[in-house]
């Protein structure tokens, strides 16, 4: 083991001293010693203090500091009380509701939807999806399609790789999935 010390830590790493200071490179055996070293040697607030204050344990130094702020009764926050606060009146969502199969109709029903905005890529609970702003019967919706799905491939073939150019009318039909749920499919 090396006997050369810098401050209160060793210059080189050994079997005992395995924690290093990122500021000066000294090595320490415990987190407590490393934290004490960093606070006393590298903290700008501690360096400006007289030496007798820097060597005093941190808990005693904290107790001797004057307190300028009176502590009042603690308020219960929404997170601590378990209640969700009501939204403020001016909180508006910048996104439209998602387009669902029920909006268009039942199985076998067809409709035309108009792609009106720039598509965005999201990674949500259903995996990576492309969300496209659309209009159906004059109402605005966001239509989510899976990446590498048949709908994605058909829209890519029709409008190209640049999703900013995905504008126009598309015929869709409602189909039933293997799980028995209706979904929106682009007509071929």
């Amino acid at each position: 083991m090396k006997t050369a010390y810098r401050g209160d830590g060793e210059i080189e790493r050994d079997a005992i001293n395995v924690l290093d200071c990122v500021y000066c490179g000294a090595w320490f055996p415990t987190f407590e010693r490393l934290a004490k070293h960093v606070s006393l040697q590298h903290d700008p607030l501690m360096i400006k203090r007289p030496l007798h204050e820097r060597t005093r344990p941190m808990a005693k130094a904290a107790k001797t500091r004057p307190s300028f702020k009176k502590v009042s009764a603690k308020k219960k926050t929404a997170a601590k009380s378990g209640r969700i606060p009501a939204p403020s009146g001016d909180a508006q969502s910048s996104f439209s509701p998602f387009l669902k199969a029920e909006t268009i109709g039942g199985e076998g029903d067809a409709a035309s939807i108009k792609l009106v905005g720039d598509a965005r890529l999201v990674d949500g609970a259903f995996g990576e999806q492309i969300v496209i702003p659309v209009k159906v019967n004059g109402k605005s919706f966001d239509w989510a399609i899976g990446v590498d799905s048949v709908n994605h491939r058909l829209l890519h073939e029709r409008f190209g790789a640049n999703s900013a150019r995905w504008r126009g009318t598309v015929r869709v039909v409602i189909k039933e999935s293997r799980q028995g749920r209706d979904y929106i499919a682009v007509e071929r």
Side-chain angles (χ1 to χ4, degrees), residues 128-154:
E128 204 170 40
Q129 295 180 328
I130 300 168
V131 179
I132 309 163
V134 297
K135 284 204 174 199
V136 178
N137 299 329
K139 295 182 181 177
S140 295
F141 294 96
D142 282 344
W143 183 29
I145 60 172
V147 172
D148 294 330
S149 66
V150 176
N151 284 343
H152 178 210
R153 183 177 51 81
L154 291 171

Side-chain angles (χ1 to χ4, degrees), residues 134-182:
V134 297
K135 284 204 174 199
V136 178
N137 299 329
K139 295 182 181 177
S140 295
F141 294 96
D142 282 344
W143 183 29
I145 60 172
V147 172
D148 294 330
S149 66
V150 176
N151 284 343
H152 178 210
R153 183 177 51 81
L154 291 171
L155 291 173
H156 186 272
E157 287 175 2
R158 177 161 176 199
F159 296 109
N162 186 357
S163 62
R165 293 186 179 175
W166 287 16
R167 303 223 196 289
T169 304
V170 176
R171 286 288 291 171
V172 294
V173 65
I174 304 300
K175 293 186 177 181
E176 187 176 352
S177 69
R178 292 181 182 153
Q179 291 83 21
R181 291 182 289 224
D182 290 343

Side-chain angles (χ1 to χ4, degrees), residues 2-21:
K2 296 273 184 187
T3 56
Y5 291 96
R6 179 179 4 167
D8 59 346
E10 253 190 58
I11 290 180
E12 293 184 13
R13 179 180 181 170
D14 61 12
I16 297 170
N17 298 298
V18 293
L19 302 171
D20 66 323
C21 175

Side-chain angles (χ1 to χ4, degrees), residues 1 29 38 46-47 57 63 84 101 117 127 148 150 164:
M1 182 155 61
V38 170
M46 291 298 283
I47 292 172
K63 288 179 185 175
I84 298 173
D148 294 330
V150 176

